[in-house]
Amino acid sequence: MKNLRTRFNRFCLRNRNKGIPNLMLAIVIGTAVVTVMSMFNGGAQLYRLLCFDKAAILKGQVWRLITFVFTENYGGFLGLIFLYFFYNLGRQVENQMGTLRFNLYYLTGILLMDAFAMIFCPTSNVVIGKYLIYYEDFIALYSQMAFFLHLSMLLTFSISNPDAQFLVFFFLPVKAWIMALIYLVMMLASIFNMTYPVNFFPHNLFPLVGLANFLLFAGKDVVNVLPPAWRMKIRSKKPKSNPKVVPFSNPGPYKTAAPKEKQNYTHRCAVCGRTDVDSPELEFRYCSRCNGYHCYCIDHINNHTHIE
Protein backbone atom coordinates (compact mmCIF):
# COMPACT_ATOMS: atom_id res chain seq x y z
CA MET A 1 0.00 0.00 0.00
CA LYS A 2 2.85 2.35 0.83
CA ASN A 3 4.54 1.68 -2.54
CA LEU A 4 1.23 2.25 -4.34
CA ARG A 5 0.77 5.62 -2.61
CA THR A 6 4.37 6.59 -3.45
CA ARG A 7 3.85 5.76 -7.12
CA PHE A 8 0.61 7.71 -7.16
CA ASN A 9 2.27 10.75 -5.58
CA ARG A 10 5.10 10.63 -8.12
CA PHE A 11 2.62 10.31 -10.99
CA CYS A 12 0.69 13.36 -9.76
CA LEU A 13 3.93 15.29 -9.30
CA ARG A 14 5.15 14.54 -12.84
CA ASN A 15 1.77 15.56 -14.28
CA ARG A 16 1.10 18.35 -11.80
CA ASN A 17 -0.24 20.87 -14.34
CA LYS A 18 -2.47 18.49 -16.31
CA GLY A 19 -6.24 18.37 -15.88
CA ILE A 20 -8.84 21.14 -15.56
CA PRO A 21 -7.16 24.26 -14.14
CA ASN A 22 -9.04 26.39 -11.59
CA LEU A 23 -11.78 23.76 -11.30
CA MET A 24 -13.25 25.33 -8.18
CA LEU A 25 -13.92 28.60 -10.01
CA ALA A 26 -16.09 26.83 -12.58
CA ILE A 27 -18.00 24.98 -9.85
CA VAL A 28 -18.56 28.14 -7.81
CA ILE A 29 -19.78 30.10 -10.84
CA GLY A 30 -22.21 27.31 -11.76
CA THR A 31 -23.46 27.12 -8.18
CA ALA A 32 -23.88 30.90 -8.02
CA VAL A 33 -25.98 30.86 -11.21
CA VAL A 34 -28.26 28.14 -9.82
CA THR A 35 -28.51 29.94 -6.46
CA VAL A 36 -29.41 33.31 -7.98
CA MET A 37 -31.94 31.83 -10.40
CA SER A 38 -33.57 29.91 -7.53
CA MET A 39 -34.33 33.24 -5.82
CA PHE A 40 -36.70 34.26 -8.57
CA ASN A 41 -40.15 32.90 -9.35
CA GLY A 42 -39.85 29.72 -11.36
CA GLY A 43 -36.07 29.56 -11.03
CA ALA A 44 -36.26 26.56 -8.75
CA GLN A 45 -36.95 24.44 -11.83
CA LEU A 46 -33.25 24.57 -12.68
CA TYR A 47 -32.37 23.41 -9.16
CA ARG A 48 -34.80 20.50 -9.35
CA LEU A 49 -33.40 19.53 -12.74
CA LEU A 50 -29.79 19.33 -11.48
CA CYS A 51 -30.09 18.11 -7.87
CA PHE A 52 -29.54 14.51 -6.79
CA ASP A 53 -32.66 12.41 -7.22
CA LYS A 54 -32.18 8.64 -7.13
CA ALA A 55 -35.60 7.87 -8.59
CA ALA A 56 -34.95 10.21 -11.53
CA ILE A 57 -31.43 8.82 -12.05
CA LEU A 58 -32.80 5.28 -12.33
CA LYS A 59 -35.16 6.58 -15.01
CA GLY A 60 -32.22 7.78 -17.13
CA GLN A 61 -31.35 11.26 -15.80
CA VAL A 62 -27.75 10.25 -15.13
CA TRP A 63 -26.42 13.80 -15.35
CA ARG A 64 -27.61 14.30 -11.77
CA LEU A 65 -24.68 12.15 -10.60
CA ILE A 66 -22.40 15.07 -11.53
CA THR A 67 -24.56 18.18 -11.56
CA PHE A 68 -25.48 17.91 -7.87
CA VAL A 69 -22.25 19.85 -7.14
CA PHE A 70 -23.99 22.95 -8.56
CA THR A 71 -27.00 22.66 -6.23
CA GLU A 72 -25.28 23.57 -2.98
CA ASN A 73 -27.78 26.00 -1.45
CA TYR A 74 -26.72 28.08 1.59
CA GLY A 75 -29.69 30.40 1.43
CA GLY A 76 -30.00 33.74 -0.37
CA PHE A 77 -27.21 36.21 -0.95
CA LEU A 78 -25.46 35.09 2.23
CA GLY A 79 -24.77 31.85 0.42
CA LEU A 80 -22.66 33.74 -2.12
CA ILE A 81 -20.27 34.65 0.70
CA PHE A 82 -19.87 30.97 1.52
CA LEU A 83 -19.21 30.25 -2.14
CA TYR A 84 -16.46 32.86 -2.15
CA PHE A 85 -14.94 31.16 0.91
CA PHE A 86 -14.99 27.74 -0.75
CA TYR A 87 -13.53 29.21 -3.94
CA ASN A 88 -10.53 30.61 -2.05
CA LEU A 89 -10.19 27.37 -0.11
CA GLY A 90 -10.30 25.27 -3.28
CA ARG A 91 -7.77 27.51 -4.99
CA GLN A 92 -5.32 27.12 -2.11
CA VAL A 93 -5.79 23.34 -2.06
CA GLU A 94 -5.23 23.17 -5.83
CA ASN A 95 -2.03 25.24 -5.51
CA GLN A 96 -0.58 22.89 -2.91
CA MET A 97 -1.86 19.66 -4.52
CA GLY A 98 -1.37 20.47 -8.17
CA THR A 99 -4.09 20.59 -10.82
CA LEU A 100 -4.18 16.86 -11.57
CA ARG A 101 -4.22 15.71 -7.95
CA PHE A 102 -6.95 18.22 -7.06
CA ASN A 103 -9.06 17.07 -10.02
CA LEU A 104 -8.69 13.46 -8.90
CA TYR A 105 -9.47 14.46 -5.31
CA TYR A 106 -12.70 16.17 -6.37
CA LEU A 107 -13.69 13.39 -8.78
CA THR A 108 -13.10 10.70 -6.14
CA GLY A 109 -15.25 12.66 -3.69
CA ILE A 110 -18.08 12.79 -6.24
CA LEU A 111 -17.83 9.04 -6.91
CA LEU A 112 -17.86 8.19 -3.19
CA MET A 113 -20.88 10.44 -2.61
CA ASP A 114 -22.73 8.90 -5.56
CA ALA A 115 -21.92 5.35 -4.46
CA PHE A 116 -23.18 5.94 -0.91
CA ALA A 117 -26.34 7.73 -2.08
CA MET A 118 -27.21 5.19 -4.78
CA ILE A 119 -26.84 2.32 -2.31
CA PHE A 120 -28.68 3.69 0.72
CA CYS A 121 -31.07 6.38 -0.55
CA PRO A 122 -34.57 4.92 -1.12
CA THR A 123 -36.70 5.64 -4.17
CA SER A 124 -40.04 6.11 -2.41
CA ASN A 125 -41.61 6.82 0.97
CA VAL A 126 -40.36 4.67 3.87
CA VAL A 127 -42.23 3.53 6.98
CA ILE A 128 -40.01 3.38 10.10
CA GLY A 129 -41.93 2.11 13.11
CA LYS A 130 -45.02 4.30 13.32
CA TYR A 131 -43.49 7.13 11.24
CA LEU A 132 -43.99 7.68 7.53
CA ILE A 133 -40.91 9.35 6.07
CA TYR A 134 -41.47 11.00 2.71
CA TYR A 135 -39.06 10.59 -0.17
CA GLU A 136 -38.67 14.39 -0.35
CA ASP A 137 -37.06 14.27 3.12
CA PHE A 138 -34.40 11.91 1.82
CA ILE A 139 -33.79 14.22 -1.15
CA ALA A 140 -33.33 17.13 1.28
CA LEU A 141 -30.73 15.10 3.23
CA TYR A 142 -28.76 14.00 0.18
CA SER A 143 -28.86 17.49 -1.30
CA GLN A 144 -26.04 18.25 1.20
CA MET A 145 -23.57 16.07 -0.71
CA ALA A 146 -21.80 19.03 -2.28
CA PHE A 147 -21.60 20.79 1.10
CA PHE A 148 -19.77 17.89 2.78
CA LEU A 149 -17.52 17.45 -0.25
CA HIS A 150 -16.48 21.11 -0.23
CA LEU A 151 -16.15 21.26 3.55
CA SER A 152 -13.70 18.34 3.48
CA MET A 153 -11.30 20.68 1.66
CA LEU A 154 -10.89 22.49 4.99
CA LEU A 155 -9.23 19.37 6.38
CA THR A 156 -7.09 18.99 3.26
CA PHE A 157 -5.92 22.59 3.57
CA SER A 158 -5.22 22.20 7.30
CA ILE A 159 -2.81 19.27 6.93
CA SER A 160 -0.46 21.40 4.82
CA ASN A 161 -1.06 24.73 6.55
CA PRO A 162 -2.06 23.92 10.15
CA ASP A 163 -0.99 27.31 11.49
CA ALA A 164 -2.63 29.40 8.76
CA GLN A 165 -5.29 31.75 10.08
CA PHE A 166 -8.90 32.25 9.03
CA LEU A 167 -10.72 35.47 9.83
CA VAL A 168 -14.05 34.24 11.18
CA PHE A 169 -16.70 36.94 10.71
CA PHE A 170 -13.89 38.93 9.01
CA PHE A 171 -12.22 39.90 12.30
CA LEU A 172 -11.71 36.84 14.55
CA PRO A 173 -8.42 35.01 13.72
CA VAL A 174 -8.61 31.24 14.12
CA LYS A 175 -5.87 28.81 13.10
CA ALA A 176 -6.61 26.21 10.44
CA TRP A 177 -6.08 23.18 12.68
CA ILE A 178 -8.58 24.59 15.19
CA MET A 179 -11.13 25.09 12.39
CA ALA A 180 -10.52 21.50 11.28
CA LEU A 181 -11.12 20.16 14.80
CA ILE A 182 -14.32 22.22 15.11
CA TYR A 183 -15.51 20.74 11.83
CA LEU A 184 -14.76 17.20 13.03
CA VAL A 185 -16.65 17.78 16.29
CA MET A 186 -19.66 19.19 14.43
CA MET A 187 -19.58 16.25 12.02
CA LEU A 188 -19.56 13.73 14.88
CA ALA A 189 -22.41 15.61 16.57
CA SER A 190 -24.48 15.41 13.38
CA ILE A 191 -23.84 11.65 13.18
CA PHE A 192 -25.23 11.06 16.69
CA ASN A 193 -28.10 13.53 16.25
CA MET A 194 -31.19 11.39 15.75
CA THR A 195 -33.78 14.18 16.00
CA TYR A 196 -34.21 14.65 12.25
CA PRO A 197 -36.67 12.07 10.88
CA VAL A 198 -34.27 10.86 8.17
CA ASN A 199 -31.15 10.80 10.33
CA PHE A 200 -31.16 7.10 11.23
CA PHE A 201 -28.69 4.35 10.30
CA PRO A 202 -27.13 4.23 7.74
CA HIS A 203 -28.13 7.74 6.63
CA ASN A 204 -26.57 9.28 9.74
CA LEU A 205 -23.16 8.09 8.47
CA PHE A 206 -23.44 10.20 5.34
CA PRO A 207 -21.06 12.99 6.60
CA LEU A 208 -18.31 10.36 6.89
CA VAL A 209 -18.13 10.04 3.10
CA GLY A 210 -16.36 13.40 2.78
CA LEU A 211 -14.05 12.41 5.63
CA ALA A 212 -13.22 9.13 3.84
CA ASN A 213 -12.23 11.05 0.73
CA PHE A 214 -9.95 13.28 2.83
CA LEU A 215 -8.27 10.29 4.51
CA LEU A 216 -7.75 8.63 1.14
CA PHE A 217 -5.54 11.51 -0.01
CA ALA A 218 -4.10 12.72 3.30
CA GLY A 219 -2.04 9.70 4.34
CA LYS A 220 0.21 10.19 7.36
CA ASP A 221 -0.13 14.00 7.14
CA VAL A 222 -3.50 13.67 8.87
CA VAL A 223 -1.74 14.32 12.21
CA ASN A 224 -1.38 17.99 11.22
CA VAL A 225 -4.98 18.64 12.26
CA LEU A 226 -4.01 17.85 15.88
CA PRO A 227 -2.66 20.41 18.38
CA PRO A 228 1.07 21.19 17.96
CA ALA A 229 2.11 19.37 21.15
CA TRP A 230 0.37 16.20 19.99
CA ARG A 231 1.98 16.48 16.56
CA MET A 232 5.47 16.62 18.04
CA LYS A 233 4.74 13.66 20.31
CA ILE A 234 3.42 11.50 17.48
CA ARG A 235 6.25 12.39 15.12
CA SER A 236 8.98 11.78 17.68
CA LYS A 237 10.82 8.65 16.66
CA LYS A 238 12.55 6.19 18.94
CA PRO A 239 16.32 5.88 18.36
CA LYS A 240 17.16 2.95 16.16
CA SER A 241 19.22 0.12 17.58
CA ASN A 242 22.81 -0.32 16.46
CA PRO A 243 23.05 -2.00 13.06
CA LYS A 244 24.11 -5.62 12.98
CA VAL A 245 27.77 -6.11 11.99
CA VAL A 246 28.44 -9.04 9.66
CA PRO A 247 32.12 -10.17 9.84
CA PHE A 248 33.91 -11.20 6.62
CA SER A 249 36.70 -13.77 6.51
CA ASN A 250 38.88 -11.65 4.20
CA PRO A 251 38.07 -7.97 4.63
CA GLY A 252 41.08 -6.88 2.52
CA PRO A 253 43.08 -3.66 2.96
CA TYR A 254 39.98 -1.53 3.57
CA LYS A 255 39.29 0.00 6.97
CA THR A 256 35.96 0.49 8.59
CA ALA A 257 34.73 4.02 8.03
CA ALA A 258 34.31 6.17 11.10
CA PRO A 259 30.69 6.44 12.15
CA LYS A 260 28.99 9.67 11.14
CA GLU A 261 27.96 12.11 13.78
CA LYS A 262 24.41 11.33 14.90
CA GLN A 263 21.82 13.88 13.86
CA ASN A 264 19.26 14.60 16.53
CA TYR A 265 16.82 16.40 14.22
CA THR A 266 14.31 15.29 11.58
CA HIS A 267 13.96 18.43 9.42
CA ARG A 268 16.60 21.04 8.60
CA CYS A 269 16.11 24.11 6.39
CA ALA A 270 18.54 24.11 3.44
CA VAL A 271 18.68 27.94 3.49
CA CYS A 272 18.92 29.10 7.11
CA GLY A 273 19.93 25.81 8.75
CA ARG A 274 17.24 25.89 11.45
CA THR A 275 15.95 22.49 12.57
CA ASP A 276 12.84 21.13 14.22
CA VAL A 277 14.90 20.65 17.40
CA ASP A 278 16.17 24.20 17.95
CA SER A 279 12.89 25.68 16.59
CA PRO A 280 10.09 23.22 17.48
CA GLU A 281 7.38 25.77 16.68
CA LEU A 282 8.62 26.13 13.09
CA GLU A 283 6.91 24.35 10.19
CA PHE A 284 8.99 22.63 7.49
CA ARG A 285 8.10 21.72 3.91
CA TYR A 286 9.79 19.86 1.04
CA CYS A 287 9.98 21.62 -2.32
CA SER A 288 8.56 19.66 -5.26
CA ARG A 289 10.36 21.81 -7.85
CA CYS A 290 13.88 21.27 -6.53
CA ASN A 291 15.91 18.39 -7.92
CA GLY A 292 16.19 16.03 -4.98
CA TYR A 293 14.75 15.87 -1.48
CA HIS A 294 15.36 19.34 -0.04
CA CYS A 295 13.70 20.68 3.10
CA TYR A 296 12.88 24.34 3.79
CA CYS A 297 11.31 26.17 6.70
CA ILE A 298 8.03 28.03 6.27
CA ASP A 299 9.97 31.29 5.81
CA HIS A 300 11.97 30.00 2.84
CA ILE A 301 9.72 27.41 1.15
CA ASN A 302 8.38 30.12 -1.17
CA ASN A 303 11.52 32.25 -1.13
CA HIS A 304 14.54 30.24 -2.28
CA THR A 305 16.46 29.40 -5.43
CA HIS A 306 15.30 26.07 -6.82
CA ILE A 307 18.01 23.43 -7.14
CA GLU A 308 18.19 22.10 -10.69
Side-chain angles (χ1 to χ4, degrees):
M1 187 66 181
K2 182 178 180 180
N3 292 336
L4 182 61
R5 179 178 292 275
T6 301
R7 292 179 181 179
F8 174 74
N9 291 337
R10 290 177 178 175
F11 172 77
C12 292
L13 187 59
R14 288 195 300 265
N15 302 276
R16 178 181 176 87
N17 296 323
K18 294 183 179 179
I20 304 175
N22 216 351
L23 175 63
M24 202 61 198
L25 177 61
I27 293 175
V28 166
I29 291 177
T31 306
V33 171
V34 175
T35 301
V36 172
M37 292 189 64
S38 299
M39 299 177 186
F40 300 99
N41 186 25
Q45 292 293 337
L46 179 61
Y47 177 89
R48 287 192 289 267
L49 183 64
L50 301 179
C51 69
F52 180 86
D53 188 335
K54 182 178 178 179
I57 292 173
L58 295 177
K59 293 179 181 179
Q61 299 181 14
V62 294
W63 65 80
R64 296 177 181 269
L65 294 172
I66 302 295
T67 57
F68 74 84
V69 299
F70 301 113
T71 60
E72 184 179 5
N73 189 359
Y74 299 108
F77 289 100
L78 183 61
L80 300 179
I81 298 178
F82 284 95
L83 289 178
Y84 178 72
F85 167 74
F86 283 122
Y87 161 68
N88 283 315
L89 191 61
R91 184 179 60 179
Q92 294 295 331
V93 173
E94 182 176 351
N95 288 338
Q96 68 189 34
M97 275 189 168
T99 301
L100 178 63
R101 188 181 179 91
F102 180 73
N103 286 183
L104 294 176
Y105 170 83
Y106 202 90
L107 177 61
T108 305
I110 291 177
L111 295 178
L112 290 176
M113 294 284 182
D114 287 336
F116 186 93
M118 292 300 293
I119 293 173
F120 297 110
C121 182
T123 56
S124 59
N125 300 339
V126 176
V127 177
I128 303 295
K130 60 180 180 179
Y131 298 102
L132 173 63
I133 304 178
Y134 293 97
Y135 176 65
E136 289 74 13
D137 293 331
F138 288 101
I139 295 301
L141 173 66
Y142 285 93
S143 65
Q144 303 177 42
M145 291 195 299
F147 171 73
F148 288 113
L149 176 59
H150 294 163
L151 201 57
S152 67
M153 292 189 301
L154 176 62
L155 299 176
T156 307
F157 175 80
S158 300
I159 63 174
S160 296
N161 306 275
D163 293 324
Q165 289 187 345
F166 290 97
L167 291 179
V168 181
F169 304 114
F170 301 102
F171 71 91
L172 182 62
V174 180
K175 289 190 175 182
W177 68 269
I178 297 179
M179 293 283 291
L181 287 181
I182 293 175
Y183 161 66
L184 291 175
V185 171
M186 294 177 61
M187 183 187 64
L188 291 177
S190 66
I191 292 175
F192 292 100
N193 179 19
M194 300 297 181
T195 57
Y196 190 70
V198 186
N199 200 15
F200 55 87
F201 183 84
H203 308 286
N204 62 319
L205 302 180
F206 181 71
L208 294 178
V209 181
L211 180 62
N213 187 47
F214 158 72
L215 295 175
L216 185 63
F217 281 80
K220 62 182 180 181
D221 292 334
V222 69
V223 299
N224 285 346
V225 300
L226 299 176
W230 294 10
R231 283 181 245 155
M232 296 295 296
K233 186 176 181 180
I234 293 176
R235 288 172 177 169
S236 60
K237 299 180 180 179
K238 296 181 179 180
K240 297 182 179 179
S241 59
N242 295 329
K244 182 179 180 181
V245 178
V246 180
F248 292 92
S249 58
N250 185 18
Y254 302 102
K255 296 182 179 180
T256 304
K260 295 182 179 180
E261 183 179 355
K262 183 179 179 181
Q263 297 178 346
N264 59 349
Y265 59 84
T266 304
H267 305 290
R268 182 178 183 273
C269 179
V271 176
C272 63
R274 289 182 293 180
T275 67
D276 56 346
V277 175
D278 52 33
S279 301
E281 77 285 352
L282 200 61
E283 293 291 333
F284 293 87
R285 301 285 182 268
Y286 289 86
C287 181
S288 60
R289 296 179 57 185
C290 290
N291 184 15
Y293 202 59
H294 299 282
C295 178
Y296 300 93
C297 67
I298 197 64
D299 296 330
H300 297 106
I301 183 63
N302 297 317
N303 185 21
H304 67 271
T305 303
H306 297 291
I307 301 174
E308 301 296 337

